[in-house]
Amino acid sequence: MTNAWQRLMFDYSVWTMYADGRRLPMTEPAILRAEDHRAILTAAHELYGILVKTIEACRARPQLLEYYRLHPDLQAMFAASRPDEPMVARFDFFLCDEGLRVSEFNTDVCGGINETQGLYDLFLNDSESFSATRNLLLLLLRNNPRCVGFMYPTGYSDDFEQANFLRTCLEKLGIRTVYGAPVNFEFNGRHLTAFGERVDMLYRYYLADWLAGQKTTGALVAAYRARAFDMITGFGQIVCQTKKVMAFWYDHIGLFTPSERRTIELFVPRTWLYRTLGRDRVQSMREQVVVKRGFGNMGNEVVLGPLLDDESFAEWLDVVDSEPDEWVVQEFFHVRADSRTMFPCYGAYMIDGRFSGYYTRTADEPYICYSARVAPTRVQP
Amino acid sequence: MKKIPRAAFVGLIPVVGCGEPSLPEPVDPSKLSWADRTTVDSTKTEAWRNYLQAAALNRAWSPPDNSPWLAYHKVSLPAAVSMVRPAAVPVRGQPATLAEQSAEAFASRYSLENAAVFVDLPGPESVAWGAALARRGATPVCTFNNWPHHRGILKLEQTLGALLYYADELSRQPKKPTVPVFMLELERLRPNYTPRPTEFDNRYFHLQTDFPTAADFARQGIKTVYYVSGQVFEQDDLNDYFVSLKNGGLDFFRVQPNGTGVDSFTPTKRTTIFDPTVVHSYTGTSRSHIYHRHYGHYYGFWRSSRSTFGSGGWVSG
């Protein structure tokens, strides 16, 4: 194994190098045409604005939040959110027969930064095109924290990879860090602490959805509400992380300006709440739709109607029917293969409103899941 | 206007990707459990000191680049050596000594040809088995997948110390593709345990994609699985996987930790701590294609209250 691969593992904390026996990181860049890049850039900025507007609308008019039917803990988290929360997000774009399409907004636990930074540094020798690490570190440091806490599901070392990479960067800047699971972060009425260390800034690499129902969540929310600490990412974006946001837009299209409506209709596949369509209608739409869990991630819990037969699709709707409030139905789109006959997904990092580079995954099939390969991205001049 | 520390701004770029992790004060290597520490390694020298860098330790234990087992080698624990470097020492206790002897006894009686070995014992003993079978030409494969912590529920520093103990010996052995020995940590699940705020929950579990499929084994001519364990059943996270291997045509033998008792057995589907699980997988392919950390698995495991992975438990259920 070459020195560059060793460095990717240990300098950039990329410990999960393989899936299904295949190495995931690719050294050959994905090539993106300049015109496609410009289209993604425009769409990403416009969609970012619409997401921010959605959060503000839900904050101003709590009845809008009812549309989401969130777990009470998630409602409490949203209620504790602050108007000044910066968003650390990645929007997943596909180039399709139908045009440019966005499949989801990763606003809660936005990953892939460490490995992409490593691929740019080590294999492209390009320190300009990818600024997500730098921009995220600046956010973590913006209020001069003495100690940054890293909260992640400690049973998953692959979730520690990005957190450990950022933690290491901060320590080299002289910032103290502490890491642990939700149970390790305690609120004493004034401060948030972990293992006895006061935490000023919390990097929450732990899905808000997974916090719902846990014994420790109430204290965490209370501490945040009391401004005992700052947090990346905040709780306001909960209404963006769930794929229900795309159904929300179509069901509340009147909230948006004509320009915003055009952006939604141009880039966001038509999306419905599963509960509003009902099982029979969704079954009849099988060949045209994808059924997704609102808080699903990594391509998980995505039921691709056109790739299943009626019987298999019906079996999956049994699962969906067990929690009908949690799922959305979305128009299927046809992803175009690239020159390598792979299907790329261009994840555009949007950090506090700034485009910060791409996390591009490519797959042998026209959808992205855990075994998708990761490549740096080169925009063709 | 946001306040950005000027010094930090200037210094950000150089820190990215420039070396191994520095020592975080909240984790104190000197407070880790280095029981059974020793000053010399398996070569009776202090060569272990050459493996206190993550890359070096990993290189010693990693299967060769052309090995079909490289994809299953976990680097998480070797990566942690840089973190605990100031206090890291080789670990060698009496149980590991006995484990090494047991592995040698096993290898002298049973052929490893066309076999895969899964050693599910306390970490240092699994490592001793791996090292002993490596002397017989097998390829040890690390599956340890979490970090030590001085407040850790698992004392993974013991396993890390065992890796250090054999690192120099392993690095001197010829690297060639051979049959695999998967070294597992017996304590990884520690079910029925709710962590306290003062404890770091470094338990973990394996998923099917952590290991080769029956077809992968078949391509390498592997027909037999030896499961080294003192337990009646394979651990819960291996049940589905072992059943899939059995259905794929592999024969199973349970090996007692002393290396002598070897019995044929048939893995069968049973209720585990991961049930009930709503298996949500990526359905573009087939229902048997299990996402390696799908929501249902995680959620079911947590909701069962048998493990929480740091959640501290649930309000109800």
Side-chain angles (χ1 to χ4, degrees):
Chain A
M1 191 171 275
T2 65
N3 187 44
W5 288 109
Q6 294 280 346
R7 287 198 61 200
L8 188 65
M9 277 194 283
F10 300 114
D11 291 359
Y12 295 85
S13 299
V14 180
W15 304 329
T16 309
M17 291 277 262
Y18 295 87
D20 293 342
R22 194 166 64 163
R23 188 183 276 171
L24 298 179
M26 298 170 74
T27 56
E28 274 294 301
I31 304 298
L32 184 62
R33 293 186 310 167
E35 62 191 271
D36 291 330
H37 169 61
R38 282 194 297 273
I40 291 175
L41 217 56
T42 303
H45 280 100
E46 290 175 359
L47 289 166
Y48 189 92
I50 294 170
L51 289 172
V52 170
K53 183 171 184 172
T54 304
I55 297 169
E56 288 170 354
C58 289
R59 208 195 311 274
R61 295 164 57 189
Q63 67 272 25
L64 287 175
L65 199 63
E66 291 170 14
Y67 176 91
Y68 285 89
R69 295 196 183 172
L70 296 172
H71 184 285
D73 281 353
L74 290 171
Q75 292 179 38
M77 289 179 213
F78 185 80
S81 66
R82 304 173 189 167
D84 59 347
E85 288 174 346
M87 195 140 55
V88 175
R90 195 190 69 235
F91 304 164
D92 288 345
F93 286 100
F94 292 89
L95 299 173
C96 306
D97 294 344
E98 298 89 344
L100 184 64
R101 289 289 181 275
V102 64
S103 65
E104 61 182 271
F105 307 103
N106 299 281
T107 58
D108 195 24
V109 169
C110 179
I113 289 176
N114 58 319
E115 59 193 305
T116 314
Q117 183 71 60
L119 289 173
Y120 274 94
D121 290 353
L122 299 172
F123 297 103
L124 285 195
N125 198 21
D126 175 359
S127 58
E128 298 297 318
S129 303
F130 189 75
S131 54
T133 306
R134 177 178 172 278
N135 291 341
L136 177 50
L137 288 172
L138 287 172
L139 281 184
L140 290 169
L141 292 170
R142 68 179 186 152
N143 287 334
N144 298 313
R146 185 183 151 275
C147 176
V148 177
F150 288 81
M151 177 191 286
Y152 74 102
T154 55
Y156 284 148
S157 66
D158 47 343
D159 274 357
F160 191 37
E161 296 177 15
Q162 178 165 305
N164 188 56
F165 170 67
L166 295 169
R167 187 189 66 76
T168 305
C169 293
L170 290 176
E171 290 201 337
K172 287 173 181 162
L173 292 169
I175 308 294
R176 291 175 69 88
T177 67
V178 60
Y179 56 86
V183 71
N184 301 126
F185 290 84
E186 300 181 282
F187 182 44
N188 63 11
R190 290 183 63 204
H191 306 300
L192 186 75
T193 64
F195 298 114
E197 189 84 23
R198 178 180 161 183
V199 173
D200 313 300
M201 164 62 83
L202 181 66
Y203 179 64
R204 183 174 55 80
Y205 202 73
Y206 193 106
L207 290 163
D209 180 41
W210 288 1
L211 285 171
Q214 292 190 25
K215 283 179 180 170
T216 55
T217 298
L220 183 74
V221 173
Y224 189 61
R225 195 186 307 114
R227 292 189 170 265
F229 64 101
D230 295 319
M231 181 165 63
I232 300 291
T233 55
F235 289 136
Q237 51 67 42
I238 286 169
V239 295
C240 307
Q241 172 66 32
T242 172
K243 296 172 191 72
K244 289 179 192 173
V245 71
M246 294 185 269
F248 178 92
W249 289 347
Y250 280 104
D251 285 343
H252 298 83
I253 202 77
L255 289 175
F256 301 101
T257 65
S259 165
E260 290 164 340
R261 287 181 204 176
R262 183 179 166 279
T263 296
I264 292 168
E265 286 162 2
L266 203 54
F267 302 119
V268 181
R270 182 71 171 94
T271 311
W272 303 265
L273 293 179
Y274 176 81
R275 69 170 187 260
T276 64
L277 291 180
R279 181 186 178 123
D280 290 346
R281 177 131 183 245
V282 175
Q283 178 74 49
S284 72
M285 296 164 75
R286 177 186 63 76
E287 290 189 2
Q288 292 84 43
V289 297
V290 179
V291 184
K292 302 175 170 181
R293 194 171 189 283
F295 282 114
N297 57 28
M298 282 287 282
N300 195 22
E301 299 155 310
V302 177
V303 184
L304 294 161
L307 301 190
L308 296 173
D309 58 29
D310 282 332
E311 193 181 345
S312 304
F313 192 64
E315 277 182 39
W316 279 99
L317 292 188
D318 289 343
V319 175
V320 174
D321 251 355
S322 68
E323 43 174 15
D325 281 343
E326 299 301 323
W327 295 75
V328 299
V329 181
Q330 191 171 71
E331 229 168 27
F332 184 83
F333 49 77
H334 299 81
V335 182
R336 285 204 316 246
D338 65 10
S339 58
R340 294 182 288 200
T341 64
M342 294 181 80
F343 296 92
C345 169
Y346 300 98
Y349 285 106
M350 293 295 292
I351 297 183
D352 204 14
R354 280 186 290 180
F355 172 76
S356 303
Y358 286 109
Y359 173 63
T360 299
R361 289 166 293 170
T362 66
D364 298 328
E365 305 287 341
Y367 50 80
I368 297 296
C369 64
Y370 74 95
S371 59
R373 306 188 70 191
V374 181
T377 308
R378 181 165 282 158
V379 176
Q380 212 170 37
Chain B
M1 185 70 182
K2 298 180 179 72
K3 287 189 296 181
I4 297 172
R6 185 175 171 80
F9 184 90
V10 171
L12 274 178
I13 295 305
V15 304
V16 173
C18 60
E20 296 192 328
S22 58
L23 178 67
E25 292 178 36
V27 173
D28 186 343
S30 67
K31 291 181 182 167
L32 292 168
S33 174
W34 299 109
D36 295 328
R37 58 188 295 158
T38 176
T39 54
V40 295
D41 61 20
S42 68
T43 65
K44 309 299 177 198
T45 71
E46 293 192 11
W48 59 271
R49 293 185 188 280
N50 298 326
Y51 301 91
L52 292 172
Q53 300 283 342
L57 183 61
N58 184 62
R59 207 176 293 121
W61 280 97
S62 175
D65 285 354
N66 60 348
S67 169
W69 321 123
L70 177 63
Y72 307 99
H73 165 76
K74 299 282 187 197
V75 304
S76 324
L77 190 58
V81 76
S82 304
M83 176 102 151
V84 301
R85 184 166 42 220
V89 286
V91 165
R92 177 59 163 187
Q94 184 65 12
T97 304
L98 293 174
E100 189 180 307
Q101 292 166 0
S102 300
E104 284 168 355
F106 167 76
S108 66
R109 291 184 188 194
Y110 300 96
S111 169
L112 291 177
E113 197 176 346
N114 302 327
V117 184
F118 288 76
V119 188
D120 207 351
L121 298 173
E125 295 170 48
S126 289
V127 172
W129 268 79
L133 297 186
R135 293 174 194 146
R136 303 281 184 146
T139 301
V141 183
C142 285
T143 71
F144 312 114
N145 202 17
N146 215 320
W147 273 32
H149 191 286
H150 67 277
R151 305 274 182 91
I153 291 173
L154 304 186
K155 302 302 175 195
L156 292 176
E157 59 273 28
Q158 290 283 305
T159 308
L160 186 60
L163 292 177
L164 270 178
Y165 181 79
Y166 289 108
D168 192 53
E169 179 186 339
L170 262 289
S171 70
R172 292 169 189 278
Q173 289 176 356
K175 297 257 186 186
K176 52 187 180 185
T178 56
V179 297
V181 182
F182 297 96
M183 304 178 295
L184 294 92
E185 169 59 60
L186 175 70
E187 287 288 301
R188 64 188 177 277
L189 297 178
R190 186 81 68 86
N192 300 312
Y193 188 87
T194 300
R196 294 186 293 271
T198 53
E199 290 177 309
F200 182 80
D201 192 355
N202 52 2
R203 292 172 294 169
Y204 61 95
F205 56 81
H206 290 300
L207 295 158
Q208 294 203 35
T209 47
D210 285 346
F211 303 109
T213 62
D216 294 331
F217 278 139
R219 273 192 291 277
Q220 303 303 324
I222 303 288
K223 296 172 181 167
T224 302
V225 170
Y226 289 112
Y227 181 55
V228 184
S229 167
Q231 305 201 330
V232 176
F233 297 111
E234 69 279 358
Q235 293 214 58
D236 281 4
D237 55 346
L238 297 178
N239 180 244
D240 284 342
Y241 172 61
F242 275 14
V243 170
S244 75
L245 293 186
K246 181 207 70 177
N247 292 339
L250 278 90
D251 294 324
F252 275 78
F253 294 90
R254 184 186 313 284
V255 181
Q256 293 302 316
N258 65 11
T260 55
V262 174
D263 302 302
S264 169
F265 80 107
T266 303
T268 50
K269 176 65 186 155
R270 58 181 168 78
T271 300
T272 72
I273 56 174
F274 298 101
D275 296 330
T277 301
V278 179
V279 178
H280 299 153
S281 62
Y282 207 99
T283 55
T285 50
S286 75
R287 297 194 72 162
S288 62
H289 185 81
I290 307 297
Y291 172 48
H292 79 303
R293 41 171 290 185
H294 58 79
Y295 175 83
H297 202 90
Y298 199 91
Y299 186 81
F301 195 39
W302 281 25
R303 276 288 172 191
S304 69
S305 294
R306 295 180 179 113
S307 176
T308 56
F309 280 163
S311 76
W314 296 84
V315 173
S316 60

